[in-house]
Amino acid sequence: MNKLELPNRLLMSSLHMNLDEDTRQHQRLARFYALRARMGVGLIVTAGCSPDAAGKSSPSGFALDGDSEIPRHETITRAVHRAKGRIALQILHLGRHASHAGLVSSSARRAPAIPYTPRALDEAGITATVEAYAACAGRAVTAGYDAVELCFSQGFLVHQFLAPAFNTRSDRWGGIFENRARFAVAVARAVRSRVGRDFPIIFRLPCLDLISGGLSPEESVGLVEALTPFGIDLLNVGIGCHESEVATITMSVPRAAFAGVSARLRARFPGLIFAASNRINDPRLAERLLRDGCADMIAMGRPFLADAALADKARRGAFAEINTCIACNQSCMDFIFASGDPVGCSVAPDCARPEEGRFPPLAASKRVAVAGGGIAGLGAALFLARRGARVTLFESENRLGGQLQLAARVPDKQEFVETIRYYSHAALQAGVEIRLGRAFTADDVAAEPWDHVVLATGSRPRRLDDIPGIDLPHVIDYRDVLENDRHIAFPAVIIGGGGVACDVAKYLIRRAEAGVSVTILQRSSRKLAHKVGRTTRWVLMKELEGAGVTMLKSVDVRRVTPSEVDVIDRVEGRERSIAAGAVIVAAGHLALSGPVDDLRRQGIPFTAVGASRAAEVCNTNITSALREAYEFAMAFS
Ligand SMILES: Cc1cc2nc3c(=O)[nH]c(=O)nc-3n(C[C@H](O)[C@H](O)[C@H](O)COP(=O)(O)O)c2cc1C
Ligand code: SF4
């Protein structure tokens, strides 16, 4: 890439880590990147880094906007170079997506979910911002970065000039494409003249932004042509942005769904090198895309959160050992929007923690039984075994995975199978003894000298026994629908309004003929599937709404009859009857506790993790199950 030689074609995409409020942000990032560098990633691109104060996510956001910042960035570059890696600084000005009052954009148009309206940059502001990009790139060279990536896509400042959806100016920076592209060209020219001909510049360009008023395919091509004179050393094919009207990174997006965009541009510009991006989560798939000529490099973002050692495992051909990113977004993208917590990974609970990848050996040998082979039990067994415990896992069924097996039956959720595969394989590799078809019973409590027992016995669906008619033959537990593909007589009514109920609705509409009637009845007044993360929920709801699923909130089910469900609609304040050929109950879960009394009698210490830890009604998901398992195992002594 320009004068930079890379050891392989894997690029770790830029990932904002939500560490803005962490005063040790640079040290933490340095460790995070160095671990991945040591494991052989060809090129790492940092989190988006602002060239000036206005472009930061918050006043303490990641930036390189003054010389005083250089030593902190050297912490990162030195750590990566010590690990024999290479790292590019991504220069990203958030524009109207910044979360502070001093934000700017091409136009004074507020971004959804941002409480502030940006100030439209005037001529002097544009000149200063272009200079800030150049100065930032110059500092990146001084700080020891191997390249810079200019983020012109993903809906941020440069994109806000490029796309008419964001740019409503009528001066020389708005209107026709040549004007809208003027800012991008000015930034490219200024940066190239600052860093010189031989320093690699990666351009992340909006190649398919999927918004109304976005760039047309011809404009994306025009942008590449306009920037080529400044030396595009690698074109990172940007797909989508926060405002995209089509899903681009959720589990519902097929793997490598957008590789064709890279392939088309690569054919159009044979002199350039391209990186394909989005939902490429398996190195074997990456290899195929390279062989098929879709791209010259493969950009992966979240897969390097799920597995820091992905590149090394790919090099060794140890594919079964890879902890695959399942595109759930629960601990990464959703954190950026919701909690403000540092970005991590649901399937790798140590991801980006200071102690990531380290499992301190136990001081003394321990014999541990894990009751339950769902994801919480598997996680606890694996993490304890990595710390040196002798672990035996009991699972009453003849397969591992528990509730996750069921979840994997929902359309677009097949990726969960990868998590079961990884944890099962890793647990065996770590020496866990797995006993399938064997529930952990009172006999087992006494059978061996356990130092500790982990109860990961999971949950069972909540029954609604107090509703008259609930035992009629056409009333079905949701598990029966997903697991046994039960025949459903429509119209179907689903009782429950959480993520599972909505997933069951999706399952039904995907399997049945178009136009079937499905109604969801939720007791509470909250929005449906309220616990499903923001980046995934809108995709699910859009599909249910598009298929005509009726969603009723604030309803109390009074009775079920052979052909109807009678409810009180608390919004309308009246009783109504809803026709039902089948009634499916998906109204939450109750914790199963395991042989607690026997353990107490025998004086064996025990800990509950996952669903079995919940007091009664449980709301566990893969994120909390694995986090609890990890935190328990790390604190165990
Ligand atoms: C938590 C998170 C933070 C991200 N931060 C950035 C960023 O700072 N700059 C950027 O250009 N893209 C950012 N992205 C987009 C990723 O670089 C990548 O394009 C996207 O995750 C799709 O690729 P993947 O399926 O390989 O993860 C971010 C994505 C996630 C999930
Ligand atoms: S939280 Fe989910 S989407 Fe994010 S990196 Fe982990 S597995 Fe992938």
Side-chain angles (χ1 to χ4, degrees):
M1 198 178 75
N2 197 328
K3 298 273 190 292
L4 181 68
E5 197 169 315
L6 301 175
N8 58 57
R9 292 164 187 269
L10 273 179
L11 178 144
M12 177 174 152
S13 305
S14 174
L15 295 167
H16 172 67
M17 298 300 289
N18 240 14
L19 295 175
D20 294 353
E21 306 309 326
D22 189 337
T23 52
R24 294 155 305 123
Q25 176 176 186
H26 292 73
Q27 289 95 313
R28 197 157 162 187
L29 282 172
R31 259 197 308 271
F32 170 75
Y33 294 135
L35 181 57
R36 281 137 184 95
R38 197 167 305 118
M39 291 297 151
V41 183
L43 177 67
I44 293 170
V45 180
T46 65
C49 176
S50 181
D52 66 15
K56 296 185 203 183
S57 49
S58 68
S60 54
F62 191 48
L64 183 46
D65 55 346
D67 289 351
S68 61
E69 290 284 331
I70 291 174
R72 292 159 72 171
H73 281 266
E74 283 171 339
T75 317
I76 294 173
T77 55
R78 287 197 185 124
V80 170
H81 292 154
R82 269 198 302 274
K84 306 265 181 286
R86 290 144 200 81
I87 185 159
L89 180 79
Q90 186 188 63
I91 307 181
L92 179 151
H93 189 302
L94 286 169
R96 69 185 200 141
H97 284 286
S99 308
H100 55 78
L103 76 180
V104 299
S105 183
S106 60
S107 310
R109 288 170 70 100
R110 197 168 63 81
I114 298 291
Y116 309 104
T117 301
R119 176 172 58 80
L121 283 166
D122 58 15
E123 283 284 342
I126 289 175
T127 306
T129 307
V130 170
E131 170 50 29
Y133 269 93
C136 180
R139 289 183 203 110
V141 178
T142 311
Y145 284 104
D146 300 290
V148 289
E149 175 172 275
L150 299 179
C151 183
F152 285 5
S153 58
Q154 318 307 120
F156 299 121
L157 183 66
V158 181
H159 199 172
Q160 290 160 27
F161 273 88
L162 286 165
F166 312 128
N167 184 344
T168 55
R169 301 174 78 107
S170 52
D171 60 4
R172 68 193 188 105
W173 305 97
I176 59 168
F177 176 68
E178 193 190 347
N179 285 354
R180 283 182 276 120
R182 197 181 299 282
F183 184 68
V185 169
V187 171
R189 180 184 292 115
V191 169
R192 176 55 80 196
S193 90
R194 190 66 52 101
V195 300
R197 207 72 241 165
D198 295 343
F199 190 77
I201 303 181
I202 306 164
F203 286 84
R204 186 164 221 199
L205 300 184
C207 299
L208 182 69
D209 57 17
L210 297 165
I211 44 174
S212 342
L215 266 73
S216 67
E218 298 74 37
E219 288 178 340
S220 291
V221 167
L223 182 62
V224 180
E225 285 167 346
L227 298 174
T228 299
F230 308 107
I232 300 177
D233 295 316
L234 171 67
L235 200 160
N236 191 354
V237 177
I239 301 291
C241 62
H242 294 317
E243 285 99 337
S244 294
E245 291 144 25
V246 175
T248 56
I249 63 166
T250 52
M251 224 188 273
S252 58
V253 176
R255 292 180 177 188
F258 300 104
V261 181
S262 169
R264 278 191 293 280
L265 281 169
R266 190 168 181 264
R268 176 78 175 68
F269 295 98
L272 297 180
I273 61 171
F274 288 83
S277 170
N278 284 55
R279 285 287 284 128
I280 305 171
N281 62 350
D282 183 327
R284 288 164 292 190
L285 170 62
E287 189 69 36
R288 203 166 67 235
L289 296 173
L290 291 171
R291 285 191 200 288
D292 289 351
C294 292
D296 305 276
M297 290 191 80
I298 299 298
M300 294 185 181
R302 296 166 298 169
F304 285 107
L305 295 176
D307 198 330
L310 184 146
D312 179 56
K313 292 173 184 175
R315 190 181 51 74
R316 291 190 283 112
F319 301 112
E321 290 177 26
I322 293 176
N323 193 0
T324 304
C325 164
I326 57 172
C328 67
N329 288 340
Q330 284 175 19
S331 300
C332 57
M333 203 48 130
D334 285 340
F335 274 18
I336 290 189
F337 288 114
S339 68
D341 289 340
V343 162
C345 176
S346 296
V347 300
D350 63 339
C351 170
R353 294 197 192 209
E355 76 278 8
E356 181 177 11
R358 288 185 220 138
F359 290 88
L362 292 166
S365 143
K366 297 278 175 181
R367 186 91 179 82
V368 182
V370 175
I375 198 61
L378 271 171
L382 170 63
F383 302 136
L384 286 168
R386 283 189 175 157
R387 294 200 58 207
R390 280 180 59 212
V391 183
T392 304
L393 183 145
F394 296 78
E395 166 54 47
S396 58
E397 294 196 25
N398 282 319
R399 61 177 189 183
L400 295 166
Q403 190 74 7
L404 221 49
Q405 291 279 7
L406 210 53
R409 307 253 319 148
V410 173
D412 303 332
K413 289 200 166 177
Q414 295 84 345
E415 291 280 14
F416 281 129
V417 169
E418 299 288 359
T419 307
I420 301 169
R421 183 259 312 146
Y422 167 74
Y423 275 91
S424 309
H425 184 85
L428 281 171
Q429 261 194 330
V432 175
E433 185 196 339
I434 295 178
R435 297 185 190 169
L436 288 180
R438 286 274 280 104
F440 185 75
T441 62
D443 291 345
D444 297 306
V445 171
E448 292 178 53
W450 308 114
D451 294 302
H452 204 96
V453 171
V454 178
L455 295 173
T457 33
S459 62
R460 62 174 171 80
R462 192 151 69 105
R463 293 169 50 93
L464 303 173
D465 291 332
D466 50 342
I467 297 177
I470 204 76
D471 49 0
L472 285 167
H474 69 308
V475 181
I476 312 161
D477 168 19
Y478 82 90
R479 288 184 307 185
D480 211 8
V481 178
L482 294 182
E483 202 151 48
N484 304 325
D485 208 8
R486 269 277 295 257
H487 171 73
I488 298 295
F490 290 94
V493 171
I494 300 168
I495 302 179
V500 174
C502 292
D503 275 348
V504 171
K506 179 159 110 175
Y507 181 90
L508 295 181
I509 57 175
R510 289 269 187 106
R511 298 218 150 200
E513 287 163 23
V516 293
S517 163
V518 177
T519 302
I520 300 177
L521 303 176
Q522 180 180 265
R523 186 150 185 255
S524 88
S525 57
R526 277 192 300 247
K527 61 183 185 185
L528 270 81
H530 76 282
K531 289 221 169 81
V532 176
R534 174 175 155 173
T535 56
T536 299
R537 186 179 175 277
W538 72 270
V539 184
L540 175 61
M541 288 300 136
K542 195 172 169 186
E543 177 166 356
L544 297 189
E545 280 157 18
V549 172
T550 307
M551 298 178 238
L552 301 178
K553 299 186 290 189
S554 306
V555 286
D556 294 328
V557 177
R558 297 293 304 275
R559 77 186 66 80
V560 178
T561 71
S563 58
E564 288 175 334
V565 178
D566 297 337
V567 301
I568 295 183
D569 186 327
R570 299 201 307 276
V571 176
E572 295 185 7
R574 67 179 176 98
E575 275 204 37
R576 54 194 286 194
S577 297
I578 299 159
V583 178
I584 300 157
V585 180
H589 296 85
L590 297 177
L592 289 169
S593 55
V596 171
D597 293 339
D598 299 287
L599 288 166
R600 285 207 179 101
R601 254 195 307 277
Q602 300 275 343
I604 298 173
F606 61 91
T607 305
V609 296
S612 45
R613 181 165 170 259
E616 194 189 327
V617 179
C618 52
N619 295 306
T620 329
N621 57 25
I622 187 169
T623 311
S624 56
L626 282 171
R627 189 183 52 233
E628 281 169 22
Y630 174 75
E631 288 175 355
F632 160 72
M634 293 303 274
F636 184 65
S637 59

